Amino acid sequence: MMSSPLARKAVAFGASTALLAGMVAALAAAPAQAATSASAGTATTAAAQATSKKPQPKVSVSTPKAATRDYEGACPVKVNVSAKIKVKATGKTTLAYRWLHGDGSKGKVKTVPIKGHGTKTVTVKQSATFKDDVKKGWEAVQVLSPRKVTSKKGYFSVTCAKVVEVKEVTKVSARAWASPSSYVGACTPGDKIHFTGLIKVSDPSWVRYRWILNGRIVDYGKTKVWHSKKVGFGISPRSSEHGYAVLQVLGPDRTYSNKAHYKVWCETEAPATRVAATDLVTATNNDGCKVGAHAVIRSTGPGRVEWVWSLNGQTVLKGDTVFNHGGKRTVTLPEKVLTGAATKGGKITLTVFGPRNSDSITQSYAACQAPQPTVSVSAVSVTGQRNEMCADKRGPGVDFKATLTSTGPTTVKYYWVINGQRDHNTLERQVNGSLDVQWGVGGTHGASVTSGSIELVVITPNAASSGVAQFTATCPPASAPASASTPSA
């Protein structure tokens, strides 16, 4: 069923029919009015113009197309239909059209002014909303002016799928523990025992919970849990005691955690625990522009120490560690990706909070640098043999080639090694990509064969080698062409 009422379409159709009738009546009355007010000569001219009928412009309409011809899914749904009207205009022309609907109703007459000469294309659109199935709906376009033309029917269908909601019960589990589970030391203000609970849910849910300490409710809470989440509270005993805490989940499911037992032994003469942050080291990783760090937390006695990592003044990681006795612990900041101004260098800070004091340490980190280009070299190959030396009773000369390949623009320094002896020349080339380099050796005196080994060694920007290749070249017989064998690695 179309959402637009048929009654309104009928009114629109009546109004458009009256409008067209008025236009026709006006056109019929115009010549008579002109004849009454004009002179005889003018009337004759008007009659002649009326007699010569002006040809109507050519009009064509494409078959309407639905954006989704066969829709299946949730309803209500809006079906969008469009068609193209082509008018061969010869000046000012008014295009009048309306939509014809599959339920027998007609849309409101719409007009579009067209100027200029030649074929003009007007895209017309129509949309309708359906709440129920439509087996074989259609839309058509009827042009009323400048020439009456009706398009073919553009068909579509709507199949409404029924959405069945299955509500599953969210499953919740809880676990709790004390940190530290036992404490020996001075019982001064500040959390001595911290209880942590882990809530897990089968589906993202708002979870209501409460903490029960030694059978007494001490804390309530409500939090959104996507998969798992930690909640907690702390106590500061002023005298020796022991007991347990339980995390109870109140909704959407009801459950209890295990009992998290604890024990406190207060020593009135125990010295106050002091904490410190030391030995901060930062490291910039140019591969991906990242920075990490590690540092040492020192404590003079038992207690829980909270720590916070900051990168250029912004907190990036928090945590805590418990000392059962005095000592030191290493804490690490995993590598963080740097962006913007942070890539140019900055500072990392570790701040620690103990039972009686806090401390912090800051260290600068280096700016990211683009990785330096590296170079590799291919195996050496023979590119030619010079037999003119054979006439001087020497072995033939041999020419070689190797390819230097760099990961970016760089200066490459290299040298050649012939028969295990380095050539004294250190050569230099600018390489960005691949570059062929060549070398040659002269013939051996008093021999018809030139043989040996050759190698290309790269010095900078990194060490690389072509590998040692063996070669042999023989002077050809007087009637035979020259030949050379390819070196083998």
Side-chain angles (χ1 to χ4, degrees):
M1 180 183 293
M2 305 183 81
S3 62
S4 52
L6 291 177
R8 295 203 314 197
K9 290 183 178 180
V11 173
F13 173 69
S16 61
T17 304
L19 174 62
L20 288 174
M23 292 171 62
V24 173
L27 290 172
Q33 183 179 2
T36 304
S37 59
S39 61
T42 306
T44 303
T45 304
Q49 292 176 347
T51 303
S52 58
K53 186 177 180 182
K54 185 178 180 180
Q56 292 180 319
K58 292 182 179 180
V59 178
S60 63
V61 190
S62 67
T63 302
K65 290 185 178 180
T68 303
R69 191 179 186 280
D70 298 303
Y71 172 81
E72 292 185 11
C75 292
V77 62
K78 180 181 288 187
V79 177
N80 298 310
V81 185
S82 63
K84 296 183 182 296
I85 302 175
K86 293 185 177 181
V87 180
K88 192 170 184 180
T90 56
K92 290 185 177 180
T93 304
T94 298
L95 171 66
Y97 71 94
R98 64 185 172 192
W99 286 91
L100 306 181
H101 309 301
D103 61 358
S105 61
K106 300 176 182 179
K108 181 180 178 181
V109 176
K110 299 181 180 179
T111 61
V112 178
I114 298 176
K115 296 180 181 180
H117 296 268
T119 301
K120 307 294 182 181
T121 301
V122 178
T123 300
V124 295
K125 298 180 180 180
Q126 162 74 9
S127 63
T129 301
F130 298 90
K131 298 180 180 178
D132 301 304
D133 293 352
V134 178
K135 298 296 184 183
K136 196 174 183 181
W138 59 266
E139 292 285 328
V141 177
Q142 185 181 54
V143 177
L144 303 173
S145 174
R147 180 193 294 269
K148 190 170 182 180
V149 178
T150 302
S151 73
K152 294 181 180 180
K153 296 176 180 178
Y155 291 93
F156 62 89
S157 67
V158 174
T159 302
C160 296
K162 294 182 179 180
V163 179
V164 179
E165 294 185 2
V166 179
K167 188 174 182 180
E168 297 183 357
V169 177
T170 300
K171 300 297 182 181
V172 182
S173 63
R175 185 168 62 90
W177 62 91
S179 180
S181 58
S182 62
Y183 172 79
V184 178
C187 292
T188 55
D191 289 350
K192 297 300 184 299
I193 306 295
H194 188 77
F195 296 95
T196 303
L198 180 65
I199 300 173
K200 291 186 176 182
V201 295
S202 60
D203 299 291
S205 306
W206 281 98
V207 176
R208 294 181 297 109
Y209 66 91
R210 65 185 181 185
W211 283 98
I212 301 173
L213 179 66
N214 298 323
R216 181 170 55 91
I217 299 170
V218 293
D219 188 40
Y220 278 92
K222 181 179 180 181
T223 185
K224 183 64 176 288
V225 182
W226 296 96
H227 175 67
S228 62
K229 192 171 186 179
K230 291 181 180 180
V231 295
F233 80 103
I235 62 173
S236 179
R238 303 304 297 273
S239 60
S240 299
E241 63 176 79
H242 64 87
Y244 66 90
V246 174
L247 174 61
Q248 180 186 12
V249 176
L250 303 174
D253 192 10
R254 296 182 69 89
T255 188
Y256 289 87
S257 73
N258 57 295
K259 290 183 178 180
H261 292 275
Y262 72 97
K263 183 183 295 185
V264 176
W265 182 266
C266 295
E267 294 181 350
T268 57
E269 299 299 326
T273 296
R274 310 284 298 182
V275 297
T278 63
D279 306 321
L280 174 57
V281 177
T282 65
T284 302
N285 184 352
N286 292 319
D287 184 10
C289 195
K290 305 171 186 176
V291 67
H294 61 83
V296 174
I297 298 176
R298 301 179 185 274
S299 177
T300 61
R304 183 170 65 92
V305 180
E306 296 179 351
W307 46 262
V308 177
W309 285 104
S310 299
L311 177 62
N312 295 322
Q314 299 293 321
T315 298
V316 293
L317 187 64
K318 293 182 178 181
D320 62 65
T321 185
V322 175
F323 289 86
N324 293 322
H325 307 284
K328 62 181 182 179
R329 302 280 175 83
T330 298
V331 290
T332 302
L333 173 65
E335 287 188 338
K336 301 293 180 182
V337 177
L338 300 174
T339 58
T343 61
K344 300 178 181 179
K347 294 182 178 181
I348 293 178
T349 300
L350 174 66
T351 304
V352 295
F353 303 91
R356 295 293 298 272
N357 74 304
S358 62
D359 190 25
S360 67
I361 185 172
T362 299
Q363 181 67 45
S364 299
Y365 66 87
C368 292
Q369 297 180 357
Q372 294 297 318
T374 58
V375 173
S376 60
V377 57
S378 70
V380 180
S381 61
V382 172
T383 60
Q385 177 175 318
R386 288 171 276 116
N387 293 321
E388 65 273 13
M389 296 183 182
C390 295
D392 297 332
K393 296 182 179 181
R394 291 190 296 167
V398 185
D399 295 325
F400 306 96
K401 180 187 78 171
T403 302
L404 300 171
T405 303
S406 68
T407 59
T410 187
T411 300
V412 180
K413 292 183 178 181
Y414 64 97
Y415 60 86
W416 292 91
V417 179
I418 308 297
N419 298 328
Q421 298 295 319
R422 171 182 170 173
D423 187 87
H424 66 277
N425 291 319
T426 297
L427 305 176
E428 184 175 309
R429 294 288 187 275
Q430 298 299 316
V431 182
N432 185 11
S434 294
L435 178 69
D436 292 338
V437 291
Q438 298 177 346
W439 194 247
V441 296
T444 304
H445 289 280
S448 60
V449 176
T450 303
S451 63
S453 64
I454 186 168
E455 179 186 10
L456 188 152
V457 178
V458 175
I459 305 172
T460 60
N462 57 278
S465 170
S466 66
V468 178
Q470 303 295 326
F471 67 90
T472 300
T474 304
C475 285
S479 60
S483 66
S485 61
T486 302
S488 58

